[in-house]
Each structure stands twice: as C-alpha cells, then as structure tokens.
Amino acid sequence: MIRGDSSVTTAAVVEYYAEASDLISADLGGPMHFGYWRDLPEGSTIPDASRRMTELMVEKVGVTKGQRVLDVGCGRGQPAVQLAEATGAEVVGIDISPRHVRLAGDLARAASRDDQVRFEVADVTELPYPPESFDGAWMLESFFHMPDQTAALRQIARVLRPGGKLVIANLVLRTPLTDEQNARLASLWKVGQIAALVPLSGYPGVLAESGLYTDEVLDISEHSIGPTFAAIRELHAARRRAEAAESNASVDLKEDMDAGMDLFSATPAIGFAIIVASKPTA
Ligand code: SAH
C-alpha cells in the first residue's frame, strides 16, 4: 500500500522549495532532514543530530577514497560535502531545484571541496550517467517526494555498479492506514509534498522490482522524528518570545508547517527508517 498526495509533481516540488527551503533549512540548521538523536549527550543541538544522521548514512553506504557516490535529491549540499570529507570519495549530487544546486555548489566551494563534489540539475527518473558508473548512492529524505518511485529506483539501480549500495533515509508507514486515517492526513501529505510512502515491510518487494536486494531495514522513528520536532518547537517558542520570527516565507506557510508537525506527531503510524539495499553482483 502506497499513500500520498496525487497532485505532487516534480514542478510542484520545485515550487514548494522555492518558498519553504529557507524556512526548513533555518529550522534544521542548514541541511533539510531529521536528526538522529540516539545516545547524543544532553544539550546536543539540531545541527549535531543532523550531522549524526548523515554519519549513519556514510557508515551504511560504505565507500572509500576514490570511489564515486550519487546523492539523489542533494538539497543545499551539506550531506554531500560531509560524505566527501568523511570518506575521500567523489560525490555527484543531483537535484531538480536549480536554486538548491546553486547553493550546494557555493557550499562545496566554501568548504574547498569543489574538486571532489559537484552538483547538477537532474531528475532522478532521467539520470544523465552511464550504467554502473557509481560505487554507491543515497537518498536522504527525497524519496517521498517522487511520484514514480519505481522509475526512480530503476534509474539508480542502472547507474550503480554490481555490489554497490543504495541507502535510503525516508518517512515510512509503520502500520497500515485506514482510508479514513489517510483522508485525515491529506493536509500533511500536501504540506510536506509527500507523493508516496512505502510501508516498512514493503521495501524488500519494491526494491526487488528494480533489481535491488534489501540488506537492512532500520526503524529509527523514536530517535529521529520525536526529538527533532521537540527541538524545532523549542526553537519556534524561543523565536516567538524574542519576536524575531523573521523569514521570507509567508505566515500561512509557517502556520501550515506547524500544524503539519502537530498532525505528524499525533500519528505514530508514520515513522522514519533507513533502508540499505545493494545491487547483486551476478
Ligand atoms: N538530501 C538533502 C535535501 C532533502 S530535501 C538534505 O538532506 O539536506 C529533498 C530534496 O529532494 C529537495 O532538494 C528536492 O528538490 C529534491 N528532489 C525531490 N524530487 C526529486 C527528483 N525527482 N529528482 C531529484 N531531486 C529531487
């Protein structure tokens, strides 16, 4: 069972980020993904937890110096730069948002990694790369935006070399939703531009359809969603207190996003997981 908002298209996602990107990025300290808070010391911040999430992805993708990794939905580039710094691998980041690609390029230059990391505008369903040209790939919170998830996975499987790993960090359904529950969540699918969610147990099947083998499915909901939202709520409260809630996003969007966060928190059926897959060697 796959749920989501049927009006999500790549054009709608680009338009959404044109308004929401600065707001999300400011809340999350740069990158645009949940933190991984497991065993973090007291007083840790959203950026600390965010780097930990990327560290977990780095560990799972398992590449070494000189290898090449594809970052699908690279956003503003922080995870790709962190991956390059941590491993010495070469990273190619792609995104449908030209603005994100530009910001990501600026970041790589500022970090003096532009010889090792490059960013390009591309849609995952039309990857402009030859077969078997990457040693690893990841999608860090981009998969749920994709209306055609099978086409996305097939393309990634095509450009991965045999034995290469694909790591996905994504929202998942932990338990099935009734039609009534799904209807109640329509506003959430819309505010998050969520095209589809694969149930936790559905990943091996969906990946197999694209020729990928599932190595691991790791439900990290309790270490990601709850603590990240709690930290964002604290941040918003502090900002409101200081009356410094300055941003170029409209008040409507901010309110919709806060309401989405509340609805999200009240729905334990939506979780967060890391899925590790690999392309078979024979
Ligand atoms: N991985 C980044 C960004 C997450 S936001 C981070 O963790 O910071 C999701 C990103 O996926 C957005 O930048 C969005 O433009 C991109 N995206 C969504 N659909 C895509 C598609 N079909 N092809 C490539 N990128 C896509």
Side-chain angles (χ1 to χ4, degrees):
M1 180 185 48
I2 293 180
R3 305 282 188 171
D5 186 319
S6 57
S7 73
V8 177
T9 58
T10 50
V13 170
V14 173
E15 206 178 296
Y16 164 74
Y17 278 108
E19 187 179 8
S21 181
D22 290 350
L23 191 63
I24 299 173
S25 175
D27 274 352
L28 294 177
M32 296 188 288
H33 57 81
F34 284 107
Y36 182 59
W37 297 79
R38 185 176 190 162
D39 300 332
L40 272 185
E42 189 77 17
S44 296
T45 61
I46 295 179
D48 295 334
S50 180
R51 286 190 68 80
R52 283 283 305 299
M53 182 67 84
T54 303
E55 270 168 31
L56 185 58
M57 303 279 293
V58 169
E59 184 193 311
K60 299 292 180 192
V61 80
V63 292
T64 52
K65 191 169 159 61
Q67 292 193 314
R68 284 182 93 217
V69 189
L70 181 65
D71 177 358
V72 175
C74 60
R76 302 160 73 112
Q78 293 87 351
V81 170
Q82 188 179 331
L83 167 64
E85 288 173 348
T87 62
E90 213 184 287
V91 185
V92 178
I94 61 132
D95 205 287
I96 48 173
S97 158
R99 176 166 180 253
H100 283 175
V101 167
R102 186 161 38 78
L103 289 171
D106 293 346
L107 185 80
R109 269 186 298 283
S112 303
R113 292 280 166 178
D114 46 323
D115 55 340
Q116 196 188 344
V117 188
R118 77 190 151 86
F119 298 99
E120 294 177 342
V121 178
D123 184 326
V124 65
T125 57
E126 293 172 50
L127 291 177
Y129 309 111
E132 305 187 359
S133 51
F134 290 93
D135 301 287
W138 78 27
M139 289 193 271
L140 181 42
E141 279 193 49
S142 58
F143 195 42
F144 59 73
H145 287 312
M146 296 167 189
D148 190 345
Q149 299 195 323
T150 304
L153 292 175
R154 289 213 170 120
Q155 276 291 305
I156 295 171
R158 180 183 66 80
V159 302
L160 263 186
R161 68 149 165 88
K165 289 200 186 297
L166 165 65
V167 185
I168 305 172
N170 199 30
L171 294 171
V172 293
L173 285 183
R174 304 167 87 193
T175 52
L177 294 179
T178 62
D179 287 344
E180 195 201 339
Q181 279 175 317
N182 190 41
R184 252 188 283 132
L185 292 169
S187 60
L188 182 59
W189 305 147
K190 190 145 202 77
V191 77
Q193 288 290 297
I194 295 170
L197 289 188
V198 179
L200 214 41
S201 59
Y203 270 94
V206 169
L207 286 158
E209 264 180 56
S210 309
L212 295 167
Y213 175 82
T214 301
D215 297 316
E216 198 180 347
V217 176
L218 202 64
D219 183 346
I220 56 167
S221 309
E222 63 175 309
H223 304 298
S224 52
I225 298 174
T228 303
F229 281 166
I232 294 175
R233 282 205 187 84
E234 240 173 68
L235 196 72
H236 286 185
R239 270 206 215 132
R240 271 194 285 270
R241 277 196 300 274
E243 295 184 333
E246 288 306 328
S247 134
N248 65 2
S250 69
V251 173
D252 279 359
L253 177 66
K254 278 192 198 166
E255 283 174 359
D256 285 354
M257 289 176 98
D258 281 1
M261 200 159 67
D262 291 340
L263 184 53
F264 203 146
S265 309
T267 312
I270 307 175
F272 196 82
I274 298 239
I275 298 100
V276 186
S278 49
K279 182 160 169 175
T281 42

